[in-house]
Amino acid sequence: MEGLIFDIKKYAIHDGPGIRTTIFLKGCPLHCPWCHNPEGIKPQPEIMLSPERCIHCEQCLHACERGALQRRSDVIALNREKCDRCGVCLDVCCSRAIEQVGRHITVEQAAEEIERDRVFYEESGGGVTLSGGEPLMQPQFTRALLKDCKKKGIHTVLDTCGYADPEILQEVSEFVDLFLFDVKIMDDEKHKHYTGVSNQQIFYNLRTLSENGKTIHIRIPIIPGITDDEGNIHMVGTFLAPLQHIDKISLLPYHRAWLMKHRKIKASNEPWIADTPSPVSLTRIQEVLETCRLNTSIGG
Ligand code: SF4
Ligand code: SF4
């Protein structure tokens, strides 16, 4: 059984307890314009260009039989409609200015990678995190890998947007020790506008996990102009307050570090450009959530 992944991060310390190996699965049903992993949204491999690495040798222009690469003033440009992702240009580019994002991996190969870091999990109370993209878009691979980890006594975390068939979530949750669950926008029309999907299934799934006694770490992305208004934050607090088994609530402030990746991958969603939330505005948000008796931390 194979999954499509775009990264494996070793020694991760922000994706659950302890030191972890985080596997990023490619493909997400949402297209949030602030997504810090824009290369994880499309459910297929993509070509990524890094012009700053290009040494202008033009080997790729000669190698591409489809004429998908062109020189435009000082940079190499890719016509993504012509490109069939054959990978020939990757082989001739010695400076890694052209790379493919997304590769297939079997459950056994992923399990081998995970096994190499077992000593770190045991010493730190860590384990494995499946993130993305959205791991539940590849339910069979996700379930099989989590099951394998549990069989070996490795702690498992699933980082999810929550937009999934409830039956799939149920089948996978059996092998999950901790959920990292995003809560973004309570108004459904606004949620659809920014993410492309309704929030109804997401909130149903969150309630069900809570009722089933699963441990959940809520993460609220604080996106200036989208999620940070007092009305939304108050509705988030009102929704979360009665839920059981909420281990922790974190505010994740918007940042711009992902914008470079967005340009390199030419992601189809329009990026949301904003300033990082100020400490004052984060404190105000924490105060609103405190009125709902919710304690929050900032980051991770
Ligand atoms: S092969 Fe790589 S380094 Fe050479 S021109 Fe193409 S992108 Fe630039
Ligand atoms: S992946 Fe293939 S088709 Fe696409 S730009 Fe490279 S050589 Fe051309």
Side-chain angles (χ1 to χ4, degrees):
M1 188 186 299
E2 285 191 334
L4 179 65
I5 66 167
F6 64 95
D7 200 7
I8 297 180
K9 187 164 76 180
K10 303 279 194 153
Y11 319 116
I13 54 168
H14 297 297
D15 300 329
I19 298 173
R20 315 192 67 82
T21 299
T22 302
I23 300 183
F24 294 87
L25 283 83
K26 195 154 161 47
C28 182
L30 277 63
H31 50 70
C32 309
W34 60 84
C35 179
H36 61 281
N37 286 330
E39 74 277 38
I41 294 178
K42 283 196 186 150
Q44 64 271 126
E46 291 174 270
I47 301 291
M48 184 162 86
L49 294 185
S50 300
E52 75 282 2
R53 291 189 191 154
C54 177
I55 56 170
H56 309 290
C57 68
E58 300 199 349
Q59 291 296 320
C60 57
L61 302 187
H62 303 303
C64 179
E65 290 183 357
R66 297 178 67 88
L69 289 162
Q70 290 164 352
R71 172 176 284 288
R72 286 213 195 116
S73 58
D74 210 20
V75 296
I76 299 297
L78 172 64
N79 181 331
R80 288 176 193 269
E81 280 172 18
K82 284 189 179 174
C83 172
D84 66 356
R85 304 193 306 269
C86 68
V88 169
C89 58
L90 309 175
D91 295 337
V92 300
C93 181
C94 60
S95 66
R96 293 181 55 236
I98 311 178
E99 292 174 288
Q100 178 169 295
V101 180
R103 65 184 167 101
H104 289 96
I105 187 170
T106 64
V107 171
E108 292 74 23
Q109 287 166 331
E112 264 174 46
E113 283 283 341
I114 289 166
E115 192 62 34
R116 281 188 201 132
D117 296 332
R118 185 187 269 271
V119 64
F120 296 105
Y121 315 147
E122 284 168 1
E123 295 206 353
S124 68
V128 168
T129 299
L130 299 194
S131 182
E134 172 50 61
L136 294 172
M137 264 189 88
Q138 300 183 56
Q140 290 173 332
F141 176 81
T142 292
R143 185 177 186 277
L145 187 53
L146 291 171
K147 185 178 178 184
D148 185 71
C149 290
K150 288 316 305 165
K151 201 167 97 189
K152 295 170 178 165
I154 297 172
H155 182 270
T156 57
V157 169
L158 185 72
D159 180 5
T160 181
C161 69
Y163 189 78
D165 182 326
E167 271 183 40
I168 287 175
L169 184 61
Q170 171 76 21
E171 283 171 14
V172 169
S173 69
E174 181 184 348
F175 305 108
V176 178
D177 292 312
L178 170 68
F179 282 87
L180 304 183
F181 202 112
D182 284 3
V183 173
K184 304 177 177 82
I185 305 168
M186 296 306 294
D187 180 273
D188 197 26
E189 287 309 311
K190 194 172 168 187
H191 195 279
K192 282 184 203 157
H193 176 75
Y194 285 110
T195 72
V197 304
S198 164
N199 58 21
Q200 297 303 299
Q201 189 147 40
I202 293 170
F203 296 150
Y204 173 83
N205 283 334
L206 179 51
R207 272 197 211 97
T208 305
L209 288 177
S210 159
E211 285 163 12
N212 290 345
K214 302 306 295 188
T215 309
I216 307 161
H217 174 173
I218 298 288
R219 304 204 293 185
I220 307 170
I222 302 302
I223 314 300
I226 300 184
T227 68
D228 67 337
D229 63 279
E230 199 159 322
N232 185 53
I233 296 298
H234 193 265
M235 281 194 284
V236 168
T238 307
F239 174 72
L240 293 179
L243 298 185
Q244 301 293 309
H245 311 289
I246 303 296
D247 168 59
K248 189 175 167 188
I249 302 175
S250 300
L251 308 183
L252 304 183
Y254 172 92
H255 61 77
R256 294 188 187 187
W258 51 276
L259 270 173
M260 181 63 86
K261 286 195 286 183
H262 195 281
R263 285 186 200 114
K264 287 180 177 184
I265 205 84
K266 279 250 182 309
S268 51
N269 60 343
E270 200 55 39
W272 188 259
I273 314 278
D275 291 329
T276 302
S278 67
V280 172
S281 69
L282 292 171
T283 302
R284 180 182 57 79
I285 288 167
Q286 287 187 299
E287 286 168 356
V288 173
L289 290 169
E290 272 166 27
T291 64
C292 303
R293 299 172 188 258
L294 298 172
N295 288 322
T296 57
S297 56
I298 294 173

